[in-house]
Amino acid sequence: MTYAVDFGTVSTVGLESSPVADALAGLRANEARYFKNKYDHVFTVEPADDATDIIEWVHRILREEREIVISSRPLEATAFQVENIRMAYVFYESGLSINVMYTVDDPKKRAVGFKLSDGMEVPEELASRFKFARQKSKLAGTIRGSYFVIKNEY
């Protein structure tokens, strides 16, 4: 069942099994607020079991671009298009959020972003490969993030 993320009232619905559920819910709400304010898009997510195609697409890009395999269990995912950008998000039990920004008409503007919920450790599979910058969020506390540019077609 899909869930429209409410950034006015942050909820842990769908994320309860995460040890950092409150921070992950704040991170998810932060993304929802961004897309509502910038694109007037309602950010909806669905349980991982219902979003296998999205998760497989994100995991394929990680594997083929950087040989990254995420060890944490996916809890939720979403995919949508705003303007000329295809977006996909996967939220993991560890508190990790991965997004793919894939412009449909400009191969130079495609990237994978990683965001770490407040209170989680950097996942082992990312720790030696990326440096994470910090950003403050009223909804999510301190978010640490990093990214890489996608080179191939997906």
Side-chain angles (χ1 to χ4, degrees):
M1 179 163 161
T2 61
Y3 170 71
V5 179
D6 179 3
F7 55 87
T9 305
V10 178
S11 170
T12 59
V13 168
L15 308 174
E16 299 90 351
S17 66
S18 173
V20 292
D22 290 337
L24 183 56
L27 177 59
R28 181 179 67 181
N30 188 65
E31 300 301 315
R33 179 177 60 195
Y34 171 80
F35 283 100
K36 183 64 176 169
N37 290 342
K38 181 150 177 109
Y39 300 104
D40 196 31
H41 172 78
V42 175
F43 194 89
T44 59
V45 292
E46 58 186 323
D49 290 345
D50 298 335
T52 54
D53 290 348
I54 299 166
I55 295 166
E56 286 172 7
W57 186 66
V58 170
H59 286 179
R60 177 179 166 222
I61 293 169
L62 293 171
R63 188 177 55 254
E64 291 181 13
E65 291 284 324
R66 296 290 181 100
E67 298 179 356
I68 295 171
V69 176
I70 302 300
S71 61
S72 184
R73 180 172 73 99
L75 297 178
E76 293 181 332
T78 186
F80 54 92
Q81 186 166 326
V82 289
E83 297 179 359
N84 69 329
I85 306 167
R86 182 177 171 197
M87 296 295 306
Y89 276 82
V90 181
F91 296 93
Y92 295 87
E93 193 167 43
S94 65
L96 174 67
S97 168
I98 296 178
N99 71 73
V100 173
M101 180 190 80
Y102 196 88
T103 53
V104 293
D105 58 357
D106 187 353
K108 293 182 178 156
K109 292 186 178 179
R110 296 175 178 166
V112 172
F114 303 101
K115 290 187 179 173
L116 310 178
S117 295
D118 205 1
M120 74 170 285
E121 295 295 321
V122 177
E124 187 177 310
E125 55 270 33
L126 305 177
S128 65
R129 298 172 178 224
F130 300 96
K131 293 193 185 275
F132 288 84
R134 295 180 186 275
Q135 123 188 23
K136 288 283 191 183
S137 163
K138 288 181 181 177
L139 293 171
T142 300
I143 301 170
R144 290 168 291 158
S146 192
Y147 75 98
F148 69 84
V149 174
I150 297 172
K151 294 182 171 116
N152 297 308
E153 295 281 327
Y154 296 94

